């Protein structure tokens, strides 16, 4: 959600959900491809996917807020009764055996 803030200077604050998904979409646009890309084409594709990601994230945050899942922008947080959302991000994958213990082999050494 784009929020206009009045003060000494007019600023545009970007919503967290849109910014997060925009950054994730941009990172996804940088993944390797079998088609060669020039620097200009890569930049355009990165910008387009970032804008689409922001639109999806901002829309999802607006819908979530409309059904009562999040507090309004700039307000309260958990103290005001808003819901908190937590997530888990896997940082690594287990080895080829499925788990780190299996990948270490029967005697604790490499496979």
């Amino acid at each position: 959600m784009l929020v206009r803030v009045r003060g000494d200077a007019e600023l545009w604050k970007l919503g967290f959900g849109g910014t997060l998904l925009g950054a994730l979409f941009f990172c996804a646009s940088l993944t390797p491809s079998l088609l060669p890309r020039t620097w200009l084409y890569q930049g355009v594709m990165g910008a387009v996917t970032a804008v689409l990601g922001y639109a999806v994230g901002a829309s999802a945050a607006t819908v979530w807020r409309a059904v009562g899942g999040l507090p309004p922008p700039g307000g309260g947080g958990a103290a005001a009764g808003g819901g908190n959302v937590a997530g888990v991000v896997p940082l690594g994958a287990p080895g080829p055996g499925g788990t780190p213990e299996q990948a270490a082999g029967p005697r604790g050494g490499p496979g």
Side-chain angles (χ1 to χ4, degrees), residues 3-91:
V3 179
R4 193 172 191 175
V5 178
R6 296 217 181 245
D8 293 336
E10 290 187 7
L11 300 174
W12 292 93
K13 287 177 60 177
L14 300 176
F16 177 75
T19 304
L20 178 67
L21 273 182
L24 289 176
F25 273 46
F26 176 74
C27 289
S29 77
L30 299 178
T31 57
S33 170
L34 294 176
L35 299 173
R37 300 178 188 163
T38 64
W39 63 269
L40 179 62
Y41 183 70
Q42 181 65 47
V44 169
M45 291 305 297
V48 168
T49 56
V51 168
L52 290 174
Y54 183 85
V56 168
S59 299
T62 302
V63 168
W64 186 272
R65 209 172 276 114
V67 297
L70 292 176
N84 290 332
V85 178
V88 177
V89 178
L91 297 178

